[in-house]
């Protein structure tokens, strides 16, 4: 079971920006523009905040943005707020065999 | 707005079968969506398990494929997960979710069901 690599943790003060990387391979992140990002608060289900690399679902603040270069995708949270403290997971479509792979997860702390 | 809710036994014996059902409200399993299962072991990350299309076509995680069946009951607007020959490594929170057509990712999730494999 292949997984995408994320840093275990990231942090920033309120109002600052934090960027989380998500490194995959040429078979998943690098092959498709179908990277999504999920926010998971403690004891809650994940919630999609970015899909198709950089699109935001309705209701997600524009403080959240996504991008991709080669085999690495990134999530940037600008203007950090206390409510952004959560675990963040990336995911990529990986083709007709595995379908989706998830990242290892990053815990974001607002200092 | 679609809502998903998982249900099933919270405790399963080793070598037994883990069975969960996801009930869909505010939508239909007959719509052109993929209906998915994802799990999260305690303190760990997410793992994609598999999915079923409204037509009945399925996709499974290769690492679980030999033990896994996902099915749907249109009359009850539910879809289900059966995982056979379970071990302690299958202990996790199991989530059901939805992927609409022309969308890659899960745009709706259930609240999750905790399943422990133990004798």
């Amino acid at each position: 079971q292949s997984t995408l690599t994320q840093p275990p943790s990231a942090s920033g003060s309120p109002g600052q920006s934090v960027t989380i990387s998500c490194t995959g391979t040429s078979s998943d992140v690098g092959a498709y523009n179908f990277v999504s990002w999920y926010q998971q608060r403690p004891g809650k289900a994940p919630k999609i905040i970015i899909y198709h690399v950089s699109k935001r679902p309705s209701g997600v603040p524009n403080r959240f943005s996504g991008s991709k270069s080669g085999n690495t995708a990134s999530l940037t949270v600008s203007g950090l707020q206390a409510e952004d403290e959560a675990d963040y997971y990336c995911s990529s479509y990986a083709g007709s065999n595995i379908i989706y792979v998830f990242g290892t997860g990053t815990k974001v702390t607002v200092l | 707005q679609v809502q998903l809710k998982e249900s099933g036994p919270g405790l399963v014996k080793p070598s037994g079968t883990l069975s969960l059902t996801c009930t869909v409200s505010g939508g239909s399993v007959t719509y052109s969506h993929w209906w998915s299962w994802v799990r999260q072991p305690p303190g760990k990350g997410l793992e994609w398990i598999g999915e079923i299309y409204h037509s009945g076509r399925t996709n499974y995680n290769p690492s679980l494929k030999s033990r896994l069946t996902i099915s749907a009951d249109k009359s009850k607007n539910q879809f289900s997960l059966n995982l056979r020959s379970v071990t302690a490594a299958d202990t996790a929170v199991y989530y059901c979710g939805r992927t609409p057509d022309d969308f890659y990712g899960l745009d709706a999730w259930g609240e999750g069901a905790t399943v422990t494999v133990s004798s």
Side-chain angles (χ1 to χ4, degrees):
Chain A
Q1 167 71 33
S2 57
T3 55
L4 309 177
T5 300
Q6 299 179 232
S9 62
S11 63
S13 299
Q16 289 186 331
S17 295
V18 64
T19 298
I20 303 167
S21 62
C22 169
T23 301
T25 70
S26 58
S27 297
D28 39 61
V29 174
Y32 306 98
N33 288 322
F34 297 137
V35 175
S36 49
W37 289 89
Y38 300 89
Q39 178 191 65
Q40 186 179 33
R41 295 194 171 101
K44 299 295 186 181
K47 169 192 171 186
I48 194 165
I49 55 173
I50 295 288
Y51 67 98
H52 297 186
V53 176
S54 60
K55 298 182 180 181
R56 277 188 312 276
S58 174
V60 174
N62 59 10
R63 303 183 291 103
F64 293 93
S65 62
S67 63
K68 191 189 89 167
S69 178
N71 296 338
T72 299
S74 298
L75 172 73
T76 297
V77 186
S78 305
L80 266 176
Q81 299 183 4
E83 66 196 48
D84 299 332
E85 191 159 287
D87 293 329
Y88 291 82
Y89 292 92
C90 62
S91 178
S92 176
Y93 178 72
S96 59
N97 188 37
I98 181 65
I99 304 297
Y100 293 108
V101 288
F102 281 97
T104 49
T106 298
K107 182 176 182 58
V108 169
T109 301
V110 181
L111 302 172
Chain B
Q1 177 152 343
V2 70
Q3 291 187 316
L4 308 170
K5 186 167 178 64
E6 306 87 351
S7 60
L11 182 64
V12 181
K13 289 185 175 3
S15 77
T17 297
L18 184 159
S19 297
L20 291 172
T21 296
C22 182
T23 299
V24 179
S25 57
S28 171
V29 296
T30 63
Y31 291 172
S32 296
H33 301 324
W34 289 92
W35 303 95
S36 306
W37 290 97
V38 173
R39 70 180 181 180
Q40 185 171 34
K44 296 188 178 180
L46 302 167
E47 180 182 28
W48 181 80
I49 297 172
E51 61 185 4
I52 185 166
Y53 197 47
H54 71 96
S55 62
R57 177 183 166 189
T58 54
N59 292 311
Y60 295 153
N61 187 320
S63 68
L64 299 170
K65 188 174 184 176
S66 63
R67 301 191 289 131
L68 181 63
T69 301
I70 296 176
S71 59
D73 186 333
K74 297 176 182 180
S75 67
K76 295 182 179 178
N77 212 25
Q78 298 174 332
F79 61 102
S80 298
L81 164 74
N82 279 271
L83 186 64
R84 299 173 291 277
S85 304
V86 296
T87 69
D90 296 308
T91 293
V93 177
Y94 286 76
Y95 296 100
C96 58
R98 181 189 76 170
T99 298
D101 257 0
D102 298 325
F103 190 93
Y104 292 83
L106 278 71
D107 75 334
W109 295 67
E111 62 186 24
T114 299
V115 179
T116 301
V117 178
S118 175
S119 55

